[in-house]
């Protein structure tokens, strides 16, 4: 290791005494403001001994603002500007840096080129922030990240992005001190990496006959051939080198044993059946997966040999997620393999598959990391886990002394909506706004201090089913990348979210200059349903002055003369609320709309026997009585999702209430493992102990209604009502995700 000292001198300087708010993202660990200001000169002097690649990057980023000149040591006293050597035992400081700005000079100290590069990112933000007034406040910063894995993922299989676009993506990560780029290169919809030993992978597997468009439930296709799209090995090397210059590790993902349709199309002999196959045109999960036979392992080992040569990363991502067991159950070879190796079942066979691959990867001096399904049947001896289905996988791995990267969908899936789904482009589903990302703590409470050491860090994922071009990539990651960067750096403070939000808005100036298509959702008016005095109330908020919010209750578009928002709006009858933000009489945001359907259950106390999945739990149980009917095409914040669980909800009316009808909706989206309810029962009680069933509906009738359930229950007069909605259970053969737990989605429960 080396320790670098950088001194930048100005050609002319003045003394100032001022304080300034720092709009740095991520916020440094330690900042001390001192007297004075550094005046940005026309020309900066740089030591000729500075690391070249990092300094060239710095110059390029600020080239439009400044001129640069390399100073000669003699005459301006740049003695020991670079001091090699480091005391023993200081290996934990490879990303450490200190930055000291005085009225005359800027000093950067680091122990490695990586630390130096991180310091430059802080300095660039300071220069960008103060390029107009040309005065940077004097300060001292000591800084280093909390987590060693600060990652972003990009799926290039569903939709492809050029080398230049991938490089832009890497630049965005570097700007906010991220250090890992997870490149999702193979999937059912396309194989995107050249493998010289197997040319058919790209000749056949890198194209599909058409693509799904619009909402999944519409089942529509564009009819346009997609591809061939892939990266040559030379292009891969170029991207890896580009990332290395920005101190970012590229982790490749080669999916196995599932998500393999593109590969099986090229080499059908690797499947359990004869095919024929084709790259998937729909999104979702498919039954045809790699068959665990010797020729498959030979194929995958040969593929990994070429991948390992291209990517110097410590970890190779082998996927491991969403692998249906349907084909393995029907395959004589697989069943014999289970018997021969004394495996418990097909989940044990998946563990056998992963462990065999891990052993090979380890023999090449590398390690595997996989999605948390690799825990099924037992974790491979040296594997790391990427915990996406929630935090449980990460907890289990850490307790077993395996490293884990936390990437739960509820906080870290950037393909989810980040604003009101009605004002946002079509997205996968879910609701992950900026403040939710910022609130995430990657260290689960269930872990003690020793176990917590196994949490490598945090990562956000960008799956591209509904992201068709790079402008949309920008839109989905910004500004949420900023929140993630501060979480990963370890300086996020959810209690001071507004202060962070102000820094984000300030950063938009830099994104504007870069012509980045970032989401402006935080400018829009957002609404939240809260319990009211007589049912519910609708609380409106904005990142701007709340006095600028205007709203209407009759469904008309708000104007500058509409009602001024002051307090949560009481909602006691069915209506449409439209809201927007105005400034100086001008509309400054999108118009947000929310329709309410009020019933006798709206706003009442509700309890759930089993809680929804973390990924689809926005608002909790109250979501089921908030007066909002879920949009069948948008799995946003109006739905609760339960995997493998029944919905058992008890509503307390507060007093005996008369009603004759109960309604609720469920969804069907089998490609995403979402199935209609198997049955439903309605119960009533006066004491919340003794319940009597008054209505039941079976699967056949639910199918006829397509999940929109309205049940006549006769004349009832009771204080409590319980609704049991039965999950479809284990997904049957012939369906995507067969042998896995089905999802059940439910929206509003209404009573009339």
């Amino acid at each position: 290791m080396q320790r670098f000292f950088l001194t930048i001198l100005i050609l002319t300087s003045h003394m100032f005494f001022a304080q300034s708010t720092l709009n740095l993202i991520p916020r440094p660990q330690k900042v001390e403001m001192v007297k004075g200001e550094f005046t940005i000169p026309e020309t900066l002097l740089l030591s000729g001994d500075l690391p070249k690649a990092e300094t060239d990057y710095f110059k390029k980023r600020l080239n439009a603002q400044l001129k640069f000149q390399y100073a000669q040591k003699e005459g301006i006293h740049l003695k020991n500007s670079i001091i090699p050597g480091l005391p023993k035992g200081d290996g934990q400081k490879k990303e450490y840096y200190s930055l000291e700005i005085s009225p005359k000079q800027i000093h950067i100290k680091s122990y490695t080129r990586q630390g130096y590069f991180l310091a430059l990112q802080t300095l660039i933000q300071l220069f960008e922030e103060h390029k107009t007034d040309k005065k940077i406040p004097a300060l001292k910063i000591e800084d280093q990240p909390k987590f060693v894995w600060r990652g972003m993922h990009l799926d290039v299989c569903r939709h492809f992005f050029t080398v230049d676009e991938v490089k832009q993506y890497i630049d965005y990560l570097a700007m906010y001190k991220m250090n890992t780029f997870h490149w999702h290169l193979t999937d059912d919809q396309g194989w995107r990496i050249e493998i010289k030993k197997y040319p058919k992978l790209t000749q056949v597997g890198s194209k599909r006959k058409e693509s799904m468009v619009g909402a999944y439930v519409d089942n529509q296709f564009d009819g346009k051939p997609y591809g061939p799209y892939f990266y040559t090995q030379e292009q891969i090397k170029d991207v890896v080198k580009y990332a290395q210059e920005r101190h970012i590790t590229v982790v490749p993902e080669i999916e196995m044993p599932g998500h393999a349709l593109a590969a099986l199309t090229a080499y059908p002999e690797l499947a359990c059946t004869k095919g024929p196959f084709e790259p998937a045109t729909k999104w979702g999960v498919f039954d045809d997966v790699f068959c665990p036979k010797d020729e498959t392992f030979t194929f995958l080992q040969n593929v990994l040999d070429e991948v390992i040569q291209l990517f110097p990363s410590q970890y190779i991502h082998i996927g491991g997620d969403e692998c249906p067991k349907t084909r393995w159950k029907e395959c004589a070879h697989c069943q014999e393999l289970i018997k021969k190796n004394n495996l418990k079942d097909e989940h044990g066979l998946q563990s056998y598959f992963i462990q065999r691959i891990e052993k090979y990867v380890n023999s090449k001096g590398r390690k595997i990391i996989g999605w948390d399904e690799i825990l099924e049947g037992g974790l491979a001896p040296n594997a790391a886990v990427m915990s996406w289905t929630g935090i449980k996988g990460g907890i289990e791995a850490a307790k077993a002394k395996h490293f884990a990267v936390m990437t739960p969908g509820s906080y870290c899936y950037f393909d989810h909506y980040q604003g009101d789904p009605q004002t946002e482009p079509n997205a996968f589903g879910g609701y992950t706004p900026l403040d939710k990302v910022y609130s995430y703590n990657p260290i689960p409470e269930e872990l003690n201090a020793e176990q917590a050491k196994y949490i490598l860090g945090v990562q956000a994922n960008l799956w591209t089913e509904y992201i068709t071009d790079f402008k949309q990539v920008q839109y989905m990651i910004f500004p949420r990348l900023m929140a993630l960067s501060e979480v990963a750096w370890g300086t996020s403070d959810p209690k001071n979210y507004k202060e962070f939000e102000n820094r984000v808005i300030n950063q938009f100036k830099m994104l504007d200059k870069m012509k980045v298509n970032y989401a402006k959702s935080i400018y829009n008016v957002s609404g939240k349903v809260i319990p009211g005095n007589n049912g519910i109330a609708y609380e409106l908020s904005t990142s701007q002055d709340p006095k600028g919010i205007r709203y209407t209750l009759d469904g008309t578009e708000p104007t500058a003369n509409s009602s001024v928002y002051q307090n949560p709006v009481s909602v006691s009858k069915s209506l449409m609320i439209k809201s927007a933000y105005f400034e100086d009489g001008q509309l400054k945001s999108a118009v947000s709309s929310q329709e309410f359907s009020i019933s006798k259950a709206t706003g009442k106390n509700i309890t759930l026997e089993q809680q929804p999945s973390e990924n689809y739990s926005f608002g909790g149980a109250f979501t089921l009585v908030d007066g909002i009917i879920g949009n069948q095409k948008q799995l946003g914040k109006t739905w609760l999702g339960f995997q493998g669980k029944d919905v058992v909800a008890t509503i307390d009316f507060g007093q005996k209430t008369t009603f004759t009808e109960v309604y609720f909706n469920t969804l069907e989206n089998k490609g995403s493992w979402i199935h209609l309810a198997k049955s439903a029962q309605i119960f009533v009680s006066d004491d919340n102990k003794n319940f009597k069933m008054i209505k039941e509906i079976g699967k056949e009738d639910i199918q006829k209604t397509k999940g929109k359930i309205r049940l006549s229950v006769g004349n009832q007069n009771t204080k409590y009502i319980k609704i049991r909605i039965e999950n479809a259970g284990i997904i049957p053969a012939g369906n995507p995700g067969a042998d896995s737990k089905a999802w059940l989605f439910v929206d509003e429960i209404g009573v009339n």
Side-chain angles (χ1 to χ4, degrees), residues 655-669:
Q655 60 185 12
K656 278 197 166 189
T657 299
T658 300
F659 60 92
T660 60
E661 181 186 59
V662 177
Y663 65 84
F664 60 87
N665 295 328
T666 70
L667 282 178
E668 183 172 55
N669 184 339

Side-chain angles (χ1 to χ4, degrees), residues 683-699:
F683 305 83
V684 294
S685 172
D686 287 332
D687 59 7
N688 201 22
K689 295 178 182 178
N690 301 297
F691 282 89
K692 178 180 72 172
M693 188 172 73
I694 59 171
K695 192 73 174 183
E696 183 172 20
I697 183 172
K699 182 177 180 180

Side-chain angles (χ1 to χ4, degrees), residues 147-153 178-180 182 251 315 317 368-372 383-395 397-398 402-409 412-413 440 442-444 447 452-461 484 488:
F147 294 106
V148 298
W149 188 299
R150 306 183 302 281
M152 278 292 296
H153 154 287
M178 309 299 281
N179 68 354
T180 305
H182 174 176
V251 175
Y315 286 100
H317 203 300
I368 68 165
I369 186 168
W371 304 109
D372 49 39
V385 169
M386 194 164 273
S387 190
W388 76 277
T389 58
I391 64 173
K392 183 180 177 182
I395 293 170
H402 283 259
F403 288 110
V405 175
M406 305 304 290
T407 179
C412 298
Y413 267 45
Y440 183 52
I443 304 293
L447 300 182
K453 294 177 182 177
Y454 289 94
I455 302 299
L456 290 174
V458 63
Q459 175 176 296
N461 301 320
L484 182 76

Side-chain angles (χ1 to χ4, degrees), residues 62-195:
L62 295 177
N63 190 48
Q65 295 181 38
L66 299 167
K67 297 176 183 177
F68 296 91
Q69 179 179 324
Y70 281 100
Q72 301 299 315
K73 286 188 177 181
E74 55 273 16
I76 56 173
H77 311 295
L78 287 179
K79 285 189 194 177
N80 299 323
S81 58
I82 298 177
I83 302 176
L86 182 68
K88 291 182 179 180
D90 233 339
Q92 299 300 314
K93 288 195 171 184
K94 67 177 184 177
E95 292 189 287
Y96 167 90
Y97 73 90
S98 69
L99 173 65
E100 186 171 350
I101 300 177
S102 72
K104 291 184 178 181
Q105 297 175 326
I106 296 174
H107 299 269
I108 296 176
K109 181 179 78 172
S110 66
Y111 294 90
T112 65
R113 295 171 72 118
Q114 187 175 6
Y116 171 61
F117 184 76
L118 294 171
L120 292 180
Q121 295 298 344
T122 299
L123 193 57
I124 288 167
Q125 286 193 31
L126 288 169
F127 272 93
E128 290 283 358
E129 165 78 4
H130 298 281
K131 64 184 177 183
T132 301
D133 62 13
K134 295 190 177 298
K135 294 178 178 63
I136 299 176
L139 51 77
K140 295 179 181 179
I141 291 175
E142 279 194 81
D143 205 13
Q144 63 181 345
K146 179 177 182 178
F147 294 106
V148 298
W149 188 299
R150 306 183 302 281
M152 278 292 296
H153 154 287
L154 180 64
D155 164 22
V156 297
C157 301
R158 278 52 178 246
H159 286 99
F160 182 80
F161 305 99
T162 67
V163 167
D164 285 343
E165 289 168 342
V166 172
K167 286 181 176 180
Q168 285 184 60
Y169 196 83
I170 289 168
D171 279 333
Y172 302 150
L173 307 196
M175 284 166 54
Y176 293 101
K177 299 187 175 75
M178 309 299 281
N179 68 354
T180 305
F181 171 47
H182 174 176
W183 205 356
H184 185 79
L185 290 164
T186 74
D187 215 301
D188 294 301
Q189 293 80 10
W191 184 284
R192 306 295 180 210
I193 175 174
E194 177 190 27
I195 301 297

